[in-house]
Amino acid sequence: QVQLVESGGGLVQAGGSLRLSCAASGTIFSINTMGWYRQAPGKQRDLVATITSGGLTTYADSVKGRFTISREKANSVYLQMNSLKPEDTAVYYCYCLSRYTNYWGQGTQVTVSS
């Protein structure tokens, strides 16, 4: 079992920056990929960025060049979000894959005002 706890969401003006953090606990040695997804009201949950244990990254086209995912040790992942846009407003969920099982955090709200 893995537990994920996010922090760092909030309200920011367009063009601003936020940094999201996620800490994993439990059976962390088995974690492979970690990342972030987001869900806006009335929409499905979409991938934002992922990073494997080997450091390979994947980004959604909409955030390339603005967001950067990073990972520290086996149990922490971060999302640096720059040049934020109103369309980035969503609940952001931390994610990890461990032993073929997906785990999710409780989500943190990011609101970008125009």
Side-chain angles (χ1 to χ4, degrees):
Q1 293 285 333
V2 176
Q3 296 78 43
L4 301 171
V5 177
E6 306 104 331
S7 60
L11 173 65
V12 64
Q13 289 187 332
S17 298
L18 282 174
R19 186 175 189 247
L20 304 183
S21 301
C22 175
S25 60
T27 314
I28 62 173
F29 65 86
S30 61
I31 294 175
N32 181 355
T33 299
M34 298 188 76
W36 296 91
Y37 283 67
R38 66 186 181 187
Q39 188 168 18
K43 296 187 177 181
Q44 66 181 17
R45 189 174 298 188
D46 292 325
L47 179 145
V48 176
T50 61
I51 183 168
T52 68
S53 56
L56 295 177
T57 59
T58 301
Y59 292 95
D61 288 342
S62 60
V63 306
K64 284 180 180 177
R66 299 189 298 122
F67 291 10
T68 303
I69 190 169
S70 60
R71 190 164 171 178
E72 180 177 306
K73 299 180 182 178
N75 66 328
S76 298
V77 65
Y78 306 94
L79 187 68
Q80 178 66 42
M81 304 185 293
N82 298 328
S83 302
L84 282 160
K85 304 175 181 180
E87 51 263 45
D88 294 318
T89 295
V91 177
Y92 283 69
Y93 295 91
C94 181
Y95 153 86
C96 80
L97 174 65
S98 175
R99 293 181 174 175
Y100 308 105
T101 300
N102 296 325
Y103 294 91
W104 299 93
Q106 81 285 356
T108 185
Q109 177 70 45
V110 172
T111 302
V112 184
S113 63
S114 57

